[in-house]
């Protein structure tokens, strides 16, 4: 008998010893679990995947159908994962879960958890243009590439998802469309070639994959929305909207409701996307932060996707600016941070003393209704019976006045304005808290408002303290192009180092994630406007949720132009051609306008106009990650769970994190020098010569051998070593620099990080 089926005997014994009578078992609370299984020996023989999965359920041994409906609880097996994950999702009592854990072949159980959901200007800001020359047209605008979007679904009738100029789905596409039965709601076409919904994500929808939150429509159009003229939000940010890969296909996997995403549904969506045959996966969902990779179902499923040649683009998370908050840190995924652009939707604050401060707001009345000076008050000042963030106010203190409110963080600014308006306030200034620095949001406020920096807020408070008759006015300036400094890193963008693998630089890259205009679906959760936002075709949103699909679309463009490139090669091209300086040539700044570290921005800000022709790439295939995983100390079982196949680390020459052939280098220096190896592949010009150029602080010594690489043909590989040591006393703050391979035509830049003490 097939070996995994032998666990039936053990499961039966455990069931008899530990479970109450069947009738009582139905009265016990059942919880949702992902059951992670070890790979089957010999591929499973004639036993189907579904049969193998059922064999692990104790109730199956009692003669009960494990897929049958158990009343209100529904079927016992919720999903059988077949392509991206080894295992299944099921409803189990505590006793049943214990029995499954003890069954031979079961790696572990994951209780169901819920993860949070983590443009007209960004294509041009990233150097993509509609002319006949350049990367965009050369890549065919992503033609023929399928981008899978795991999110809240999509509004198929939106003009961004029209299929003008698009080819039919590629041969071999295996996806299905659940829109076909929806009358009058749009449906699949040559743009949206697949759409499915999973589990709880199908609740409260017009049809299973329809977006009732807005988020999924926004991310899908950012990645691959078609061209739409005259896109704007209430007249702001006007222009021609498009995604990064406007002629790519979209496959939609609705795995999230308006507020959360079940890990079971996420894995089901990943599993389906791999089976369907997507080329790029875009994942704008919160992550396990710091979890060991073999305990992270998303990292495990993404490994299988990468092994199938699928590029996986994930959000770094919105838990910044604290260090060590980055999620989705596995090196086989691209981890994306969020940065600003040079567009602002400007509202200026003018104080009674003549000082003027720039702010932002989507509320832009045409009559400039708040331009006259009004009394200015601060609920956080002494003598006010109110809260600094304006969550608690008294009408007698704010009526007819401009109210200064402290920011509530990533959310809550619009709600603060609603409170101010409800108590008769005439206007609002939102000031950042100190950690939020200069990051300001263009929110859809319900009254004249301006979101200003912490520095501006401190100066406004100083003015309030200097006079008993403080006044302020708000002047609406509309859309402004050319604001500076740009780009910068947003305060909320999660920072490295990765707790799961601190020797790999994460995040990898930064993309536009601030005040991004993209397609929108009507949503009850957005009531900023009096009409509830129901007529909004486009909307402005911010987060690493927005930066991630930018990079997903860029990856699709590269995949279209270079179909033979591996996910690692595409990642390398994106990272080594990125910008570490802003539009003025100065180092990119963070939310405090300080020099942004690589732990904040990754390699830099994406520059797709250079990524299509990077010169050299650092390549990896699935097998190359095995020595790295063994070097992490995960053990045979841990590496086997990630690799989806048996691995014995004793037979593998393990490597350190620094030795993985990654496009960035993190070298933990003690007293002795450290030497690491790297290999590059020539994808530029056949005959070319590259010279190593190192830019590091003077207290770090870096020697590259050989210092020159000569190539005579395309796809030729050359290896080199990098030796790093302290030139003097170790710097407890660490150090950062760059290793560049420079030829007549290319600069291939890799960040080099020497972590400080405690990082």
């Amino acid at each position: 008998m097939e070996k995994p089926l032998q666990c039936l005997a053990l499961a039966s014994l455990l069931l008899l010893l530990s479970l109450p009578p069947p009738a009582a078992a139905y009265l016990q609370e059942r919880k949702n679990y992902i059951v992670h299984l070890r790979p089957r020996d010999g591929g499973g023989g004639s036993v189907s995947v579904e049969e193998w999965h059922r064999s692990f359920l104790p109730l199956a041994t009692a003669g009960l159908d494990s897929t049958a409906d158990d009343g209100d609880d529904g079927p016992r097996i919720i999903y059988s994962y077949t392509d991206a994950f080894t295992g299944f999702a099921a409803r189990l009592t505590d006793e049943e879960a214990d029995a499954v854990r003890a069954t031979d072949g079961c790696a572990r159980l994951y209780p169901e958890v819920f993860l949070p959901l983590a443009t007209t200007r960004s294509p041009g800001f990233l150097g993509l243009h509609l002319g006949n020359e350049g990367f965009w047209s050369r890549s065919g605008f992503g033609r023929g590439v399928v981008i899978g979007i795991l999110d809240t679904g999509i509004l198929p009738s939106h003009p961004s998802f029209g299929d003008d100029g698009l080819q039919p789905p590629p041969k071999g596409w295996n996806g299905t469309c659940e829109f076909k039965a929806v009358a009058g709601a749009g449906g699949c076409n040559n743009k949206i070639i697949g759409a499915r919904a999973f589990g709880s994500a199908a609740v409260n929808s017009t049809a299973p994959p329809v977006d009732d939150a807005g988020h999924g429509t926004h991310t899908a159009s950012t990645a691959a929305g078609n061209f739409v003229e005259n896109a704007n939000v209430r007249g702001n940010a006007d222009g021609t909207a498009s995604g990064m890969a406007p002629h790519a296909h979209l496959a939609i996997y609705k795995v999230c409701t308006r507020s959360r995403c079940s890990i079971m549904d996420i894995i089901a969506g990943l599993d389906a996307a791999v089976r369907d045959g997507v080329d790029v996966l875009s994942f704008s969902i919160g992550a396990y932060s710091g979890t060991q990779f073999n305990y992270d179902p998303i990292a495990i499923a993404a490994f299988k996707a990468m092994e199938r040649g699928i590029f996986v683009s994930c959000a770094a998370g919105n838990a910044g600016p604290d260090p060590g908050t980055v999620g989705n840190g596995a090196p086989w995924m691209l981890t994306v941070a969020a940065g600003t652009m040079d567009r602002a939707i400007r509202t200026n604050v003018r104080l009674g003393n003549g000082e003027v401060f720039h702010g932002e707001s989507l509320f832009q009345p045409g009559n400039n209704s708040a331009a006259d000076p009004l009394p200015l008050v601060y609920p956080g000042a002494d003598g006010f019976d109110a809260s600094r963030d304006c969550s608690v106010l008294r009408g007698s203190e704010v009526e007819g006045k401009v109210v200064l409110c402290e920011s509530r963080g990533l959310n809550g600014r619009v709600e603060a304005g609603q409170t101010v308006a409800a108590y008769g306030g005439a206007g609002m200034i939102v000031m950042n808290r100190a950690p939020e620095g200069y990051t300001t949001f263009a929110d859809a406020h319900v009254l004249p408002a301006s979101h200003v920096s912490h520095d501006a807020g401190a100066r406004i408070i100083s003015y309030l303290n200097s006079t008993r008759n403080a006044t302020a006015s708000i002047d609406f300036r509309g859309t402004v192009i050319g604001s500076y400094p740009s780009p910068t890193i947003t305060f909320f963008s999660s920072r490295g180092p990765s707790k799961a693998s601190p020797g790999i630089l994460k995040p990898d890259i930064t993309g536009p994630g601030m005040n991004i205009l993209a397609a929108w679906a009507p949503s009850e959760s957005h009531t900023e406007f009096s009409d509830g936002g129901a007529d909004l075709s486009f909307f402005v949103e911010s987060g690493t949720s927005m930066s991630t699909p930018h990079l997903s679309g860029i990856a699709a463009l590269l995949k279209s132009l270079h179909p033979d490139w591996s996910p690692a090669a595409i990642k390398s091209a994106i990272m080594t051609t990125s910008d570490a300086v802003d539009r003025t040539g100065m180092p990119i700044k963070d939310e405090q306008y300080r020099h942004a570290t690589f732990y904040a921005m990754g390699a830099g800000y994406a520059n797709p106009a250079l990524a299509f022709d990077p010169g050299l790439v650092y390549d990896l295939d699935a097998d190359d990650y095995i020595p790295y995983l063994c070097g992490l100390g995960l053990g045979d079982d841990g590496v086997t769970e990630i690799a989806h196949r048996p691995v014995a680390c004793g037979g593998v020459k393990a490597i350190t994190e620094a030795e993985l052939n990654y496009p960035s280098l993190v070298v933990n220096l003690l007293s002795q020098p450290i030497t690491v190896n790297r290999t590059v592949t020539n994808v530029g010009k056949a005959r070319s010569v590259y010279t190593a150029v190192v830019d590091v602080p003077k207290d770090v010594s870096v020697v590259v051998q050989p210092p020159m690489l000569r190539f005579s043909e395309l796809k030729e590989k050359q290896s080199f070593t990098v030796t790093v040591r302290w030139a003097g006393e170790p710097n407890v703050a660490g150090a950062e620099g760059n290793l560049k391979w420079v030829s007549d035509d290319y600069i291939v830049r890799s960040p080099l990080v020497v972590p400080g003490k405690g990082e």
Side-chain angles (χ1 to χ4, degrees):
M1 182 181 291
E2 173 70 12
K3 182 178 179 181
L5 290 178
Q6 292 175 352
C7 31
L8 285 172
L10 177 58
S12 300
L13 176 60
L14 289 167
L15 178 71
L16 293 173
L17 291 175
S18 63
L19 290 182
Y26 279 89
L27 300 178
Q28 296 186 47
E29 179 185 3
R30 294 192 178 109
K31 303 171 185 175
N32 294 338
Y33 293 89
I34 291 178
V35 181
H36 190 182
L37 304 178
R38 297 188 178 92
R40 289 194 285 179
D41 293 339
S46 61
V47 179
S48 71
V49 171
E50 290 75 13
E51 289 175 315
W52 180 47
H53 291 170
R54 285 198 297 271
S55 74
F56 284 84
L57 285 185
L59 284 179
T61 68
L64 299 176
D65 184 356
S66 60
T67 62
D69 194 311
D70 287 339
D72 292 339
D73 262 355
R76 301 303 301 278
I77 288 186
I78 304 168
Y79 300 113
S80 274
Y81 305 127
T82 58
D83 288 75
F85 196 84
T86 305
F88 59 95
R91 293 183 175 90
L92 303 170
T93 65
D94 291 343
E95 289 86 352
E96 291 168 347
D98 289 340
V100 173
R101 281 192 190 93
T103 304
D104 184 32
C106 177
R108 66 177 47 85
L109 268 64
Y110 301 95
E112 183 179 27
V113 297
F114 294 92
L115 300 177
L117 289 163
T119 117
T120 54
R121 178 57 184 161
S122 53
F125 187 69
L126 291 170
L128 301 175
H129 304 285
L130 281 172
N132 292 326
E133 300 298 327
F135 171 39
W136 221 4
S137 57
R138 287 184 60 181
S139 66
F141 305 102
R143 186 173 293 117
V145 177
V146 182
I147 303 176
I149 305 288
L150 275 71
D151 215 296
T152 63
I154 196 170
L155 180 64
S157 59
H158 195 284
S160 290
F161 308 121
D163 61 357
D164 290 348
L166 270 72
Q167 298 175 339
K171 292 181 180 179
W173 171 246
N174 298 314
T176 58
C177 179
E178 295 178 357
F179 283 132
K180 53 190 174 185
V182 185
C188 290
N189 53 18
N190 287 337
K191 166 59 72 175
I192 304 172
I193 63 173
R196 294 184 60 189
F198 298 87
S200 57
V203 178
N204 296 324
S205 299
T206 306
V210 172
D211 184 11
D212 59 353
H215 192 274
T217 297
H218 199 281
T219 57
S221 66
T222 300
N226 213 336
F227 297 102
V228 179
E229 295 181 355
N230 300 316
N232 64 81
V233 181
R234 295 295 196 266
N236 300 303
D238 185 67
T240 297
S242 79
M244 295 294 100
H247 285 179
H249 305 290
L250 284 168
I252 304 303
Y253 303 90
K254 183 172 181 176
V255 298
C256 302
T257 64
R258 294 174 185 170
S259 59
R260 63 184 189 175
C261 314
S262 165
I263 186 62
M264 297 192 312
D265 299 339
I266 292 169
I267 300 303
L270 281 164
D271 195 64
V274 172
R275 183 167 58 253
D276 292 345
V278 303
D279 299 298
V280 176
L281 266 171
S282 190
F283 188 83
S284 290
I285 300 173
Y288 291 83
S289 179
T291 302
Q292 196 169 287
F293 296 142
N294 58 313
Y295 288 87
D296 182 349
I298 293 171
I300 294 168
F303 188 94
K304 176 57 72 173
M306 173 274 302
E307 191 171 37
R308 297 278 188 93
I310 300 170
F311 186 93
V312 183
S313 175
C314 295
N318 297 332
D322 292 339
T325 52
V326 67
N328 290 317
W332 46 89
M333 304 189 291
L334 183 78
T335 309
V336 187
T340 67
M341 297 187 297
D342 65 346
R343 181 183 66 198
I345 303 176
R346 180 78 74 216
T347 50
N348 289 340
V349 173
R350 183 179 296 275
L351 303 181
N353 63 1
E355 286 189 279
V356 177
F357 303 100
H358 293 322
E360 296 198 68
S361 173
L362 269 180
F363 186 100
Q364 295 276 334
N367 59 4
N368 220 5
S369 59
D372 295 331
L374 294 170
L376 174 66
V377 295
Y378 178 38
D382 292 339
F384 278 81
D385 185 17
S387 58
R388 290 187 176 189
D389 64 3
C390 296
S391 58
V392 177
L393 293 174
R394 293 180 61 184
S396 60
E397 296 175 335
V398 303
E399 187 173 358
K401 301 172 182 176
V402 175
V403 185
L404 178 65
C405 304
E406 189 175 86
S407 169
R408 302 181 187 180
L410 192 57
N411 301 300
R413 295 171 303 278
V414 172
E415 288 79 3
Q418 291 169 337
T419 303
V420 170
Y423 283 94
M428 177 179 68
I429 302 169
V430 180
M431 60 168 284
N432 275 345
R433 297 175 298 175
E436 297 157 9
Y438 290 87
T439 300
T440 56
F441 294 82
D443 290 315
H445 291 292
V446 298
L447 80 172
S450 184
H451 185 186
V452 301
S453 68
H454 172 71
D455 177 67
R459 291 165 68 182
I460 294 171
I461 291 175
S462 177
Y463 163 68
L464 276 161
N465 292 334
S466 71
T467 178
R468 293 184 177 181
N469 298 302
T471 63
S473 61
I474 300 174
D475 188 18
F476 304 99
R477 294 293 181 177
T479 303
V480 175
I481 301 297
S483 68
Y484 63 93
S486 66
T488 63
I489 307 302
T490 64
F491 80 84
F492 56 78
S493 189
S494 293
R495 268 47 168 190
S498 165
K499 293 179 181 177
S501 184
I504 298 293
L505 179 63
K506 290 287 179 172
D508 291 305
I509 197 73
T510 298
M514 194 71 204
N515 299 327
I516 303 301
L517 182 141
W520 192 249
S523 168
E524 295 177 8
S525 62
H526 275 267
T527 58
E528 293 89 345
F529 296 113
S530 59
D531 59 7
D535 69 340
L536 293 175
S537 294
F538 293 87
F539 201 67
V540 168
E541 290 279 84
S542 300
T544 53
S545 281
M546 283 64 247
S547 57
T548 298
H550 278 91
L551 270 298
S552 305
I554 291 169
L557 295 174
L558 290 168
K559 186 75 173 178
S560 179
L561 196 60
H562 302 288
D564 60 329
W565 281 12
S566 69
I570 293 174
K571 177 193 287 189
S572 176
I574 291 171
M575 292 174 63
T576 61
T577 58
S578 63
D579 294 328
V581 297
D582 64 20
R583 292 302 189 260
T584 67
M586 299 298 292
I588 289 176
K589 297 176 176 62
D590 64 12
E591 76 288 343
Q592 303 294 341
Y593 286 178
R594 299 174 303 208
H595 188 161
T597 69
F598 288 130
Y599 282 130
M601 66 177 180
Y605 201 93
N607 187 341
L610 295 178
F612 82 100
D613 187 19
L616 305 174
V617 294
Y618 295 81
D619 206 358
L620 289 162
D621 61 30
D623 287 343
D624 293 325
Y625 291 100
I626 302 303
Y628 154 79
L629 291 170
C630 288
L632 283 181
L634 305 183
D636 293 355
D637 288 344
V639 179
T640 293
E641 292 161 17
I642 296 169
H644 300 260
R645 60 183 184 273
V647 174
C649 285
V652 174
K653 185 179 179 181
I655 61 173
T656 65
E657 296 161 281
E659 292 176 292
L660 184 68
N661 198 45
Y662 213 65
S664 54
L665 297 92
V666 178
V667 182
N668 277 289
L669 283 181
L670 299 175
S671 58
Q672 300 298 320
I674 293 178
T675 299
V676 298
N677 298 288
R678 286 291 189 275
T679 299
V680 288
T681 304
N682 182 22
V683 296
K685 294 188 175 180
R687 300 185 64 84
S688 52
V689 178
Y690 290 82
T691 302
V693 177
V694 177
D695 174 20
V696 294
K698 60 182 180 181
D699 52 0
V700 178
S701 169
V702 178
V703 176
V704 181
Q705 289 293 342
M708 186 175 292
L709 300 177
R710 297 180 181 273
F711 295 91
S712 58
E713 58 185 5
L714 289 177
K715 298 185 179 181
E716 181 181 354
K717 296 180 182 294
Q718 295 273 3
S719 297
F720 60 93
T721 63
V722 182
T723 301
V724 185
R725 61 166 57 85
W726 291 115
E729 289 296 318
N731 186 339
V732 295
E736 290 189 348
N738 294 282
L739 164 62
K740 302 174 185 177
W741 286 105
V742 180
S743 74
D744 291 339
D745 302 289
Y746 302 100
I747 297 176
V748 185
R749 182 181 61 85
S750 291
L752 194 159
V753 177
V754 180
K757 187 176 181 181
E759 289 184 329

